[in-house]
Structure formats: C-alpha cells, structure tokens
Amino acid sequence: QVRLVESGGGSVQAGGSLRLSCAASGYTGSIRYLGWFRQALGKSREGVAGIDSLGSTTYADSVKGRFTISKDTPKNTLYLQMNSLKPEDTAMYYCAARFKYGGSWPLSPEMYNYWGQGTQVTVSS
C-alpha cells in the first residue's frame, strides 16, 4: 500500500521558519498531484499548497508569499518551506497524493487518494 510519512514539524516563535518533508513509498505508478493540508483545533481541514507532475503550484491565499511547495522526484520527497510563521499557522499538517489523471481544485481534500499521519506545527506569539 502507498505510504506517506511527514516530518519536520515542531514549535517555533512567530516570524520563524520550518521545513516540512513528506516521504512517499510503496507505489509503482506515477504521482499526478501532491498537496499539503492543515487542520487546527476546532476547524476543518484546509488546503495549503499543491504541486502537479510538471511542477505547477497552487497556494491558499493565507500562505502566499510565505510558504513554498517543492518536490524531489528521485528522492520521492515532497517539501513545504514555511517562512514568517504566524500563530494562526498552528495546526497538524498533512501531505496527500493523487495517482489518477483529472481532478479539479488542487486544494480540495476530496481530490486526494492517500494521506500521511501528519506532523504538528506550533507557532507561539
């Protein structure tokens, strides 16, 4: 079965930076789309950033200019560089993958087939 494992979360002060990683394994086909999502206490899961097989990216308005999504295909790894972190960025962060062609909005959780277990990011004021 496909496995996605996140790492790199932690606690930082407002204005700090973190880099999240997501290692993918257990698949034989090609990943068509990858995404980062987050869920804070008392809130629903929301899309943060997405990247397709050609490298095209999509970002939520709340993180534009601060977060950058990227991937290293030979290493089967997805990244999320988070700069200028704010307390409102505090959440559990998840990576997700889609193997089928098609789909619609890349920041919709329903678009993805597989999910990691998440890594916690806490930003203090």
Side-chain angles (χ1 to χ4, degrees):
Q1 184 62 268
V2 176
R3 185 185 182 194
L4 302 175
V5 181
E6 301 95 336
S7 62
S11 298
V12 298
Q13 294 185 20
S17 299
L18 284 174
R19 191 188 193 193
L20 306 184
S21 298
C22 174
S25 62
Y27 64 94
T28 58
S30 298
I31 297 177
R32 306 304 179 187
Y33 221 91
L34 293 162
W36 284 101
F37 294 78
R38 66 187 182 187
Q39 186 167 15
L41 288 175
K43 296 185 177 181
S44 60
R45 187 169 299 188
E46 65 172 345
V48 176
I51 185 168
D52 68 13
S53 60
L54 297 180
S56 296
T57 58
T58 302
Y59 295 94
D61 290 340
S62 60
V63 306
K64 286 182 179 178
R66 299 189 299 121
F67 291 10
T68 302
I69 187 172
S70 62
K71 61 181 180 179
D72 187 335
T73 301
K75 293 183 178 180
N76 299 318
T77 303
L78 175 72
Y79 302 99
L80 183 67
Q81 178 66 48
M82 305 185 293
N83 299 324
S84 301
L85 284 163
K86 305 174 181 179
E88 48 263 47
D89 293 319
T90 295
M92 183 72 75
Y93 283 71
Y94 303 87
C95 65
R98 179 183 174 88
F99 290 85
K100 298 179 179 179
Y101 286 107
S104 54
W105 181 238
L107 300 188
S108 174
E110 291 75 19
M111 178 177 173
Y112 295 87
N113 309 109
Y114 299 96
W115 296 81
Q117 293 300 305
T119 184
Q120 179 67 39
V121 171
T122 302
V123 184
S124 62
S125 60

